[in-house]
Short mmCIF file of all heavy atoms in Angstrom, two decimals:
data_model
loop_
_atom_site.label_atom_id
_atom_site.label_comp_id
_atom_site.label_asym_id
_atom_site.label_seq_id
_atom_site.Cartn_x
_atom_site.Cartn_y
_atom_site.Cartn_z
N MET A 1 1.37 -44.31 -137.42
CA MET A 1 2.42 -44.10 -138.46
C MET A 1 1.83 -43.60 -139.77
O MET A 1 2.44 -42.69 -140.40
CB MET A 1 3.19 -45.34 -138.55
CG MET A 1 4.32 -45.24 -139.55
SD MET A 1 5.53 -44.13 -138.96
CE MET A 1 6.95 -44.72 -139.75
N ILE A 2 0.79 -44.24 -140.25
CA ILE A 2 0.15 -43.82 -141.50
C ILE A 2 -0.33 -42.42 -141.41
O ILE A 2 -0.09 -41.61 -142.32
CB ILE A 2 -0.91 -44.86 -141.91
CG1 ILE A 2 -0.31 -46.18 -142.29
CG2 ILE A 2 -1.70 -44.27 -143.06
CD1 ILE A 2 -1.27 -47.24 -142.66
N ASN A 3 -0.95 -42.02 -140.28
CA ASN A 3 -1.37 -40.64 -140.14
C ASN A 3 -0.28 -39.63 -140.21
O ASN A 3 -0.44 -38.57 -140.73
CB ASN A 3 -2.23 -40.52 -138.89
CG ASN A 3 -3.57 -41.08 -138.91
OD1 ASN A 3 -4.11 -41.17 -140.06
ND2 ASN A 3 -4.14 -41.44 -137.82
N GLN A 4 0.86 -40.01 -139.70
CA GLN A 4 2.12 -39.10 -139.74
C GLN A 4 2.51 -39.01 -141.17
O GLN A 4 2.92 -37.88 -141.61
CB GLN A 4 3.20 -39.71 -138.89
CG GLN A 4 2.84 -39.59 -137.37
CD GLN A 4 3.97 -40.19 -136.54
OE1 GLN A 4 4.77 -41.02 -136.98
NE2 GLN A 4 3.94 -39.91 -135.27
N LEU A 5 2.56 -40.09 -141.94
CA LEU A 5 2.95 -39.99 -143.33
C LEU A 5 1.97 -39.17 -144.14
O LEU A 5 2.45 -38.36 -145.02
CB LEU A 5 3.02 -41.42 -143.92
CG LEU A 5 4.22 -42.27 -143.45
CD1 LEU A 5 4.04 -43.70 -143.92
CD2 LEU A 5 5.53 -41.70 -143.94
N LYS A 6 0.68 -39.33 -143.84
CA LYS A 6 -0.31 -38.47 -144.56
C LYS A 6 -0.17 -37.08 -144.23
O LYS A 6 -0.26 -36.19 -145.13
CB LYS A 6 -1.68 -39.02 -144.16
CG LYS A 6 -2.09 -40.36 -144.89
CD LYS A 6 -3.47 -40.84 -144.42
CE LYS A 6 -4.59 -39.88 -144.86
NZ LYS A 6 -5.89 -40.51 -144.49
N ALA A 7 0.10 -36.74 -142.99
CA ALA A 7 0.20 -35.35 -142.46
C ALA A 7 1.46 -34.75 -143.16
O ALA A 7 1.48 -33.51 -143.43
CB ALA A 7 0.33 -35.22 -140.95
N SER A 8 2.53 -35.52 -143.37
CA SER A 8 3.70 -34.96 -143.95
C SER A 8 3.63 -34.84 -145.49
O SER A 8 4.53 -34.49 -146.19
CB SER A 8 4.92 -35.82 -143.65
OG SER A 8 4.85 -37.12 -144.31
N LYS A 9 2.40 -35.16 -146.07
CA LYS A 9 2.16 -35.15 -147.45
C LYS A 9 2.95 -36.09 -148.27
O LYS A 9 3.21 -35.84 -149.44
CB LYS A 9 2.20 -33.74 -147.95
CG LYS A 9 1.38 -32.71 -147.15
CD LYS A 9 1.02 -31.54 -148.01
CE LYS A 9 0.24 -30.54 -147.15
NZ LYS A 9 -1.14 -30.95 -146.85
N CYS A 10 3.36 -37.14 -147.66
CA CYS A 10 4.13 -38.16 -148.36
C CYS A 10 3.40 -38.83 -149.50
O CYS A 10 4.01 -39.19 -150.39
CB CYS A 10 4.53 -39.24 -147.24
SG CYS A 10 5.58 -40.59 -148.01
N PHE A 11 2.08 -38.84 -149.44
CA PHE A 11 1.30 -39.47 -150.49
C PHE A 11 0.69 -38.45 -151.45
O PHE A 11 -0.25 -38.79 -152.27
CB PHE A 11 0.05 -40.25 -149.84
CG PHE A 11 0.51 -41.36 -148.90
CD1 PHE A 11 0.12 -41.35 -147.59
CD2 PHE A 11 1.30 -42.39 -149.40
CE1 PHE A 11 0.52 -42.34 -146.82
CE2 PHE A 11 1.72 -43.42 -148.58
CZ PHE A 11 1.31 -43.40 -147.22
N ASP A 12 1.20 -37.23 -151.49
CA ASP A 12 0.70 -36.18 -152.41
C ASP A 12 1.30 -36.01 -153.70
O ASP A 12 1.26 -35.13 -154.36
CB ASP A 12 0.66 -34.83 -151.63
CG ASP A 12 -0.36 -34.69 -150.51
OD1 ASP A 12 -1.23 -35.67 -150.42
OD2 ASP A 12 -0.44 -33.73 -149.80
N SER A 13 2.14 -37.04 -154.09
CA SER A 13 2.82 -36.91 -155.39
C SER A 13 2.56 -38.28 -156.17
O SER A 13 1.98 -39.27 -155.61
CB SER A 13 4.26 -36.76 -155.15
OG SER A 13 4.89 -37.83 -154.45
N ASN A 14 2.96 -38.26 -157.43
CA ASN A 14 2.94 -39.43 -158.24
C ASN A 14 3.74 -40.54 -157.68
O ASN A 14 4.77 -40.27 -157.19
CB ASN A 14 3.36 -39.09 -159.64
CG ASN A 14 2.96 -40.07 -160.67
OD1 ASN A 14 2.24 -40.95 -160.42
ND2 ASN A 14 3.48 -39.94 -161.92
N PRO A 15 3.38 -41.73 -157.48
CA PRO A 15 2.18 -42.44 -158.05
C PRO A 15 1.00 -42.46 -157.09
O PRO A 15 0.07 -43.29 -157.32
CB PRO A 15 2.77 -43.85 -158.23
CG PRO A 15 3.66 -44.01 -157.10
CD PRO A 15 4.34 -42.68 -156.89
N PHE A 16 0.95 -41.71 -156.13
CA PHE A 16 -0.08 -41.68 -155.10
C PHE A 16 -1.24 -40.65 -155.44
O PHE A 16 -1.91 -40.21 -154.46
CB PHE A 16 0.42 -41.33 -153.71
CG PHE A 16 1.60 -42.36 -153.34
CD1 PHE A 16 2.88 -41.88 -153.26
CD2 PHE A 16 1.33 -43.70 -153.06
CE1 PHE A 16 3.87 -42.68 -152.83
CE2 PHE A 16 2.35 -44.47 -152.70
CZ PHE A 16 3.60 -44.04 -152.62
N GLU A 17 -1.43 -40.30 -156.73
CA GLU A 17 -2.39 -39.32 -157.02
C GLU A 17 -3.83 -39.70 -156.86
O GLU A 17 -4.70 -38.97 -156.61
CB GLU A 17 -2.17 -38.76 -158.40
CG GLU A 17 -0.77 -37.99 -158.41
CD GLU A 17 -0.54 -37.51 -159.84
OE1 GLU A 17 -1.23 -37.95 -160.80
OE2 GLU A 17 0.49 -36.82 -160.06
N SER A 18 -4.14 -41.02 -157.00
CA SER A 18 -5.50 -41.47 -156.69
C SER A 18 -5.64 -41.95 -155.28
O SER A 18 -4.79 -41.97 -154.54
CB SER A 18 -5.76 -42.62 -157.65
OG SER A 18 -4.95 -43.73 -157.47
N ASP A 19 -6.89 -42.18 -155.00
CA ASP A 19 -7.19 -42.56 -153.60
C ASP A 19 -6.57 -43.89 -153.25
O ASP A 19 -6.82 -44.82 -153.93
CB ASP A 19 -8.79 -42.68 -153.46
CG ASP A 19 -9.31 -42.64 -152.07
OD1 ASP A 19 -8.48 -42.28 -151.17
OD2 ASP A 19 -10.48 -42.93 -151.87
N LEU A 20 -5.92 -44.00 -152.10
CA LEU A 20 -5.30 -45.22 -151.63
C LEU A 20 -6.01 -45.92 -150.64
O LEU A 20 -6.67 -45.30 -149.74
CB LEU A 20 -3.91 -44.87 -151.13
CG LEU A 20 -2.89 -44.26 -152.03
CD1 LEU A 20 -1.54 -43.96 -151.21
CD2 LEU A 20 -2.49 -45.19 -153.13
N LEU A 21 -5.96 -47.22 -150.66
CA LEU A 21 -6.50 -48.10 -149.57
C LEU A 21 -5.36 -48.23 -148.53
O LEU A 21 -4.34 -48.83 -148.89
CB LEU A 21 -7.02 -49.46 -150.05
CG LEU A 21 -7.52 -50.43 -149.01
CD1 LEU A 21 -8.63 -49.84 -148.20
CD2 LEU A 21 -7.86 -51.73 -149.69
N LEU A 22 -5.56 -47.79 -147.39
CA LEU A 22 -4.55 -47.82 -146.32
C LEU A 22 -5.08 -48.72 -145.11
O LEU A 22 -6.21 -48.87 -145.03
CB LEU A 22 -4.18 -46.51 -145.76
CG LEU A 22 -3.71 -45.47 -146.87
CD1 LEU A 22 -3.64 -44.04 -146.28
CD2 LEU A 22 -2.37 -45.86 -147.43
N GLY A 23 -4.12 -49.16 -144.39
CA GLY A 23 -4.49 -49.92 -143.16
C GLY A 23 -3.81 -51.32 -143.08
O GLY A 23 -2.69 -51.53 -143.69
N LEU A 24 -4.41 -52.22 -142.26
CA LEU A 24 -3.86 -53.50 -142.02
C LEU A 24 -4.62 -54.56 -142.87
O LEU A 24 -5.77 -54.35 -143.14
CB LEU A 24 -4.00 -53.90 -140.53
CG LEU A 24 -3.29 -53.12 -139.54
CD1 LEU A 24 -3.73 -53.57 -138.16
CD2 LEU A 24 -1.84 -53.20 -139.67
N GLN A 25 -3.92 -55.61 -143.26
CA GLN A 25 -4.51 -56.68 -143.95
C GLN A 25 -4.17 -57.97 -143.30
O GLN A 25 -2.99 -58.15 -142.77
CB GLN A 25 -4.05 -56.75 -145.35
CG GLN A 25 -4.33 -55.55 -146.17
CD GLN A 25 -3.87 -55.69 -147.58
OE1 GLN A 25 -3.40 -56.74 -148.03
NE2 GLN A 25 -3.91 -54.55 -148.35
N PHE A 26 -5.19 -58.81 -143.11
CA PHE A 26 -4.94 -60.24 -142.59
C PHE A 26 -5.61 -61.24 -143.50
O PHE A 26 -6.67 -60.91 -144.08
CB PHE A 26 -5.69 -60.31 -141.19
CG PHE A 26 -5.06 -59.44 -140.14
CD1 PHE A 26 -5.58 -58.24 -139.87
CD2 PHE A 26 -3.99 -59.87 -139.43
CE1 PHE A 26 -5.03 -57.47 -138.96
CE2 PHE A 26 -3.39 -59.10 -138.46
CZ PHE A 26 -3.95 -57.88 -138.22
N PRO A 27 -5.04 -62.40 -143.69
CA PRO A 27 -5.52 -63.38 -144.62
C PRO A 27 -6.94 -63.95 -144.23
O PRO A 27 -7.79 -64.10 -145.07
CB PRO A 27 -4.56 -64.45 -144.64
CG PRO A 27 -3.69 -64.27 -143.43
CD PRO A 27 -3.80 -62.86 -143.06
N ASP A 28 -7.20 -64.20 -143.01
CA ASP A 28 -8.45 -64.72 -142.58
C ASP A 28 -8.70 -64.26 -141.18
O ASP A 28 -8.65 -64.97 -140.21
CB ASP A 28 -8.38 -66.28 -142.57
CG ASP A 28 -9.75 -66.84 -142.30
OD1 ASP A 28 -10.79 -66.28 -142.49
OD2 ASP A 28 -9.82 -68.06 -141.95
N PRO A 29 -9.09 -62.92 -141.03
CA PRO A 29 -9.29 -62.32 -139.72
C PRO A 29 -10.48 -62.90 -138.95
O PRO A 29 -11.53 -63.10 -139.52
CB PRO A 29 -9.42 -60.87 -139.96
CG PRO A 29 -10.01 -60.80 -141.34
CD PRO A 29 -9.36 -62.00 -142.09
N ASP A 30 -10.30 -62.98 -137.60
CA ASP A 30 -11.42 -63.38 -136.76
C ASP A 30 -12.21 -62.08 -136.47
O ASP A 30 -11.86 -61.00 -136.90
CB ASP A 30 -11.13 -64.18 -135.46
CG ASP A 30 -10.12 -63.30 -134.59
OD1 ASP A 30 -10.06 -62.03 -134.70
OD2 ASP A 30 -9.41 -63.91 -133.84
N MET A 31 -13.24 -62.18 -135.72
CA MET A 31 -14.12 -60.97 -135.44
C MET A 31 -13.34 -59.89 -134.76
O MET A 31 -13.52 -58.74 -135.08
CB MET A 31 -15.35 -61.36 -134.60
CG MET A 31 -16.37 -62.21 -135.40
SD MET A 31 -16.98 -61.37 -136.96
CE MET A 31 -17.83 -59.91 -136.28
N ASP A 32 -12.49 -60.17 -133.78
CA ASP A 32 -11.75 -59.13 -133.13
C ASP A 32 -10.78 -58.42 -134.08
O ASP A 32 -10.67 -57.24 -134.03
CB ASP A 32 -10.89 -59.71 -131.95
CG ASP A 32 -11.78 -60.29 -130.83
OD1 ASP A 32 -12.88 -59.74 -130.64
OD2 ASP A 32 -11.33 -61.17 -130.13
N LEU A 33 -10.10 -59.18 -134.98
CA LEU A 33 -9.21 -58.54 -135.94
C LEU A 33 -10.05 -57.73 -136.94
O LEU A 33 -9.56 -56.74 -137.35
CB LEU A 33 -8.41 -59.62 -136.67
CG LEU A 33 -7.28 -60.18 -135.83
CD1 LEU A 33 -6.55 -61.29 -136.69
CD2 LEU A 33 -6.25 -59.16 -135.37
N LYS A 34 -11.22 -58.15 -137.32
CA LYS A 34 -12.03 -57.43 -138.24
C LYS A 34 -12.39 -56.02 -137.66
O LYS A 34 -12.38 -55.09 -138.33
CB LYS A 34 -13.30 -58.14 -138.57
CG LYS A 34 -13.09 -59.29 -139.53
CD LYS A 34 -14.43 -60.02 -139.94
CE LYS A 34 -14.21 -61.19 -140.82
NZ LYS A 34 -15.50 -61.87 -141.20
N GLU A 35 -12.74 -56.06 -136.35
CA GLU A 35 -13.08 -54.80 -135.75
C GLU A 35 -11.85 -53.86 -135.69
O GLU A 35 -11.97 -52.66 -135.86
CB GLU A 35 -13.62 -55.01 -134.33
CG GLU A 35 -15.05 -55.64 -134.25
CD GLU A 35 -16.01 -54.78 -135.01
OE1 GLU A 35 -16.04 -53.49 -134.88
OE2 GLU A 35 -16.74 -55.35 -135.81
N LEU A 36 -10.68 -54.44 -135.35
CA LEU A 36 -9.41 -53.73 -135.35
C LEU A 36 -9.22 -52.98 -136.76
O LEU A 36 -8.91 -51.85 -136.93
CB LEU A 36 -8.29 -54.56 -134.95
CG LEU A 36 -6.85 -53.89 -134.98
CD1 LEU A 36 -6.78 -52.72 -134.04
CD2 LEU A 36 -5.81 -54.92 -134.77
N VAL A 37 -9.28 -53.80 -137.79
CA VAL A 37 -9.07 -53.39 -139.21
C VAL A 37 -10.10 -52.26 -139.52
O VAL A 37 -9.68 -51.32 -140.08
CB VAL A 37 -9.29 -54.56 -140.22
CG1 VAL A 37 -9.37 -54.06 -141.68
CG2 VAL A 37 -8.12 -55.52 -140.03
N LEU A 38 -11.36 -52.41 -139.09
CA LEU A 38 -12.27 -51.40 -139.38
C LEU A 38 -12.10 -50.06 -138.61
O LEU A 38 -12.22 -48.98 -139.12
CB LEU A 38 -13.73 -51.78 -139.11
CG LEU A 38 -14.18 -52.87 -140.06
CD1 LEU A 38 -15.59 -53.53 -139.67
CD2 LEU A 38 -14.29 -52.40 -141.47
N LYS A 39 -11.53 -50.19 -137.42
CA LYS A 39 -11.26 -48.95 -136.56
C LYS A 39 -10.07 -48.18 -137.22
O LYS A 39 -10.03 -46.98 -137.34
CB LYS A 39 -10.87 -49.36 -135.16
CG LYS A 39 -12.17 -49.72 -134.40
CD LYS A 39 -11.68 -50.13 -132.92
CE LYS A 39 -12.90 -50.55 -132.14
NZ LYS A 39 -12.51 -50.99 -130.76
N ILE A 40 -9.10 -48.98 -137.71
CA ILE A 40 -7.94 -48.41 -138.38
C ILE A 40 -8.40 -47.78 -139.68
O ILE A 40 -7.98 -46.70 -140.02
CB ILE A 40 -6.86 -49.38 -138.52
CG1 ILE A 40 -6.27 -49.80 -137.15
CG2 ILE A 40 -5.75 -48.85 -139.50
CD1 ILE A 40 -5.27 -50.88 -137.19
N SER A 41 -9.23 -48.49 -140.43
CA SER A 41 -9.72 -48.06 -141.71
C SER A 41 -10.41 -46.69 -141.59
O SER A 41 -10.22 -45.76 -142.32
CB SER A 41 -10.66 -48.98 -142.32
OG SER A 41 -11.33 -48.54 -143.53
N GLU A 42 -11.21 -46.59 -140.54
CA GLU A 42 -11.96 -45.30 -140.30
C GLU A 42 -11.01 -44.20 -140.13
O GLU A 42 -11.29 -43.07 -140.52
CB GLU A 42 -12.91 -45.54 -139.09
CG GLU A 42 -13.78 -44.26 -138.80
CD GLU A 42 -14.71 -44.59 -137.68
OE1 GLU A 42 -14.44 -45.33 -136.75
OE2 GLU A 42 -15.85 -43.99 -137.66
N GLN A 43 -9.89 -44.38 -139.44
CA GLN A 43 -8.90 -43.30 -139.17
C GLN A 43 -8.08 -42.96 -140.33
O GLN A 43 -7.69 -41.75 -140.39
CB GLN A 43 -8.08 -43.68 -138.01
CG GLN A 43 -8.86 -43.87 -136.62
CD GLN A 43 -7.88 -44.33 -135.60
OE1 GLN A 43 -6.78 -44.21 -135.62
NE2 GLN A 43 -8.54 -44.99 -134.52
N VAL A 44 -7.76 -43.87 -141.20
CA VAL A 44 -6.69 -43.56 -142.21
C VAL A 44 -7.21 -43.56 -143.59
O VAL A 44 -6.44 -43.02 -144.51
CB VAL A 44 -5.56 -44.66 -142.18
CG1 VAL A 44 -4.87 -44.50 -140.74
CG2 VAL A 44 -6.00 -46.01 -142.46
N ASN A 45 -8.44 -44.11 -143.89
CA ASN A 45 -8.89 -44.13 -145.28
C ASN A 45 -9.89 -43.05 -145.59
O ASN A 45 -10.47 -42.46 -144.67
CB ASN A 45 -9.54 -45.53 -145.57
CG ASN A 45 -8.56 -46.57 -145.73
OD1 ASN A 45 -7.53 -46.45 -146.43
ND2 ASN A 45 -8.83 -47.67 -145.09
N SER A 46 -10.04 -42.79 -146.84
CA SER A 46 -11.10 -41.87 -147.29
C SER A 46 -12.44 -42.44 -146.92
O SER A 46 -12.55 -43.67 -146.81
CB SER A 46 -11.00 -41.67 -148.79
OG SER A 46 -11.32 -42.85 -149.50
N PRO A 47 -13.48 -41.63 -146.83
CA PRO A 47 -14.90 -42.15 -146.58
C PRO A 47 -15.29 -43.22 -147.60
O PRO A 47 -15.88 -44.23 -147.30
CB PRO A 47 -15.76 -40.92 -146.62
CG PRO A 47 -14.88 -39.76 -146.28
CD PRO A 47 -13.45 -40.16 -146.81
N GLN A 48 -14.93 -42.96 -148.87
CA GLN A 48 -15.23 -43.98 -149.89
C GLN A 48 -14.63 -45.33 -149.60
O GLN A 48 -15.35 -46.35 -149.78
CB GLN A 48 -14.88 -43.48 -151.28
CG GLN A 48 -15.54 -42.25 -151.71
CD GLN A 48 -14.96 -40.94 -151.22
OE1 GLN A 48 -13.92 -40.98 -150.51
NE2 GLN A 48 -15.56 -39.83 -151.56
N TRP A 49 -13.36 -45.38 -149.34
CA TRP A 49 -12.68 -46.66 -149.05
C TRP A 49 -13.19 -47.32 -147.76
O TRP A 49 -13.37 -48.48 -147.71
CB TRP A 49 -11.21 -46.51 -148.95
CG TRP A 49 -10.51 -46.71 -150.22
CD1 TRP A 49 -9.71 -45.74 -150.83
CD2 TRP A 49 -10.47 -47.89 -151.07
NE1 TRP A 49 -9.26 -46.26 -152.07
CE2 TRP A 49 -9.62 -47.50 -152.19
CE3 TRP A 49 -11.00 -49.12 -150.99
CZ2 TRP A 49 -9.40 -48.49 -153.18
CZ3 TRP A 49 -10.81 -50.04 -151.97
CH2 TRP A 49 -10.04 -49.71 -153.09
N HIS A 50 -13.47 -46.45 -146.76
CA HIS A 50 -14.05 -47.04 -145.51
C HIS A 50 -15.38 -47.59 -145.72
O HIS A 50 -15.65 -48.74 -145.14
CB HIS A 50 -14.06 -45.90 -144.38
CG HIS A 50 -14.50 -46.51 -143.00
ND1 HIS A 50 -13.71 -47.48 -142.41
CD2 HIS A 50 -15.52 -46.29 -142.33
CE1 HIS A 50 -14.33 -47.81 -141.34
NE2 HIS A 50 -15.54 -47.10 -141.24
N LYS A 51 -16.18 -47.04 -146.50
CA LYS A 51 -17.50 -47.60 -146.73
C LYS A 51 -17.37 -48.93 -147.49
O LYS A 51 -18.12 -49.93 -147.13
CB LYS A 51 -18.28 -46.63 -147.69
CG LYS A 51 -19.70 -47.02 -147.94
CD LYS A 51 -20.41 -45.91 -148.81
CE LYS A 51 -21.77 -46.46 -149.12
NZ LYS A 51 -22.51 -45.44 -149.97
N LYS A 52 -16.35 -49.08 -148.37
CA LYS A 52 -16.17 -50.35 -148.97
C LYS A 52 -15.68 -51.43 -148.02
O LYS A 52 -16.07 -52.60 -148.10
CB LYS A 52 -15.06 -50.22 -150.17
CG LYS A 52 -15.61 -49.43 -151.35
CD LYS A 52 -14.63 -49.27 -152.42
CE LYS A 52 -15.09 -48.41 -153.47
NZ LYS A 52 -14.01 -48.23 -154.58
N MET A 53 -14.85 -50.98 -147.04
CA MET A 53 -14.35 -51.92 -145.99
C MET A 53 -15.62 -52.37 -145.20
O MET A 53 -15.59 -53.56 -144.80
CB MET A 53 -13.24 -51.19 -145.19
CG MET A 53 -12.01 -50.85 -145.88
SD MET A 53 -11.11 -52.37 -146.31
CE MET A 53 -10.71 -52.97 -144.69
N LEU A 54 -16.33 -51.45 -144.84
CA LEU A 54 -17.54 -51.77 -144.05
C LEU A 54 -18.38 -52.83 -144.74
O LEU A 54 -18.86 -53.86 -144.18
CB LEU A 54 -18.40 -50.59 -143.66
CG LEU A 54 -17.84 -49.62 -142.61
CD1 LEU A 54 -18.60 -48.37 -142.51
CD2 LEU A 54 -17.67 -50.32 -141.19
N ALA A 55 -18.61 -52.60 -146.02
CA ALA A 55 -19.42 -53.60 -146.86
C ALA A 55 -18.77 -54.88 -146.92
O ALA A 55 -19.46 -55.96 -146.80
CB ALA A 55 -19.70 -52.98 -148.24
N SER A 56 -17.49 -54.90 -146.96
CA SER A 56 -16.78 -56.18 -147.07
C SER A 56 -16.66 -56.94 -145.82
O SER A 56 -16.80 -58.22 -145.78
CB SER A 56 -15.31 -55.83 -147.61
OG SER A 56 -14.45 -56.87 -147.38
N TYR A 57 -16.43 -56.24 -144.70
CA TYR A 57 -16.32 -56.89 -143.41
C TYR A 57 -17.62 -57.15 -142.66
O TYR A 57 -17.66 -57.87 -141.72
CB TYR A 57 -15.30 -56.14 -142.59
CG TYR A 57 -13.86 -56.42 -142.87
CD1 TYR A 57 -13.31 -55.98 -144.00
CD2 TYR A 57 -13.10 -57.13 -142.00
CE1 TYR A 57 -11.93 -56.23 -144.34
CE2 TYR A 57 -11.82 -57.42 -142.27
CZ TYR A 57 -11.20 -56.98 -143.42
OH TYR A 57 -9.96 -57.26 -143.68
N ARG A 58 -18.68 -56.44 -142.97
CA ARG A 58 -19.99 -56.58 -142.37
C ARG A 58 -21.03 -56.76 -143.39
O ARG A 58 -21.93 -55.84 -143.62
CB ARG A 58 -20.29 -55.31 -141.55
CG ARG A 58 -19.37 -55.09 -140.37
CD ARG A 58 -19.75 -53.92 -139.56
NE ARG A 58 -18.94 -53.74 -138.42
CZ ARG A 58 -18.64 -52.56 -137.83
NH1 ARG A 58 -19.35 -51.50 -138.20
NH2 ARG A 58 -17.92 -52.47 -136.81
N PRO A 59 -21.01 -57.87 -144.09
CA PRO A 59 -22.01 -58.15 -145.16
C PRO A 59 -23.46 -58.25 -144.63
O PRO A 59 -23.70 -58.43 -143.55
CB PRO A 59 -21.56 -59.40 -145.78
CG PRO A 59 -20.62 -60.03 -144.80
CD PRO A 59 -20.11 -58.99 -143.95
#
């Protein structure tokens, strides 16, 4: 769904002019959920945000 919104340029206007963090969020994810979050992050986030996600989820 997020990829479809990005492809339709839904995020190309104000207030979305800066880089957005996209994806799923869980309050206390287990290892399986962390891997799911990272897979989604890789697909929908900019390389900069994904790198931050990797650092956060794989210290």
Side-chain angles (χ1 to χ4, degrees):
M1 180 63 153
I2 291 175
N3 283 334
Q4 291 173 345
L5 290 170
K6 286 175 68 176
S8 71
K9 304 206 182 288
C10 186
F11 300 121
D12 286 355
S13 63
N14 196 7
F16 305 110
E17 291 175 352
S18 60
D19 196 15
L20 296 175
L21 174 62
L22 303 170
L24 297 175
Q25 295 180 10
F26 294 95
D28 189 18
D30 61 22
M31 287 306 294
D32 291 334
L33 286 176
K34 286 181 180 182
E35 288 303 315
L36 176 64
V37 168
L38 291 175
K39 285 180 184 178
I40 292 171
S41 172
E42 184 176 28
Q43 294 176 22
V44 301
N45 285 314
S46 68
Q48 295 84 0
W49 269 118
H50 183 62
K51 185 176 178 181
K52 291 178 185 179
M53 292 293 294
L54 287 172
S56 161
Y57 277 72
R58 294 184 181 155

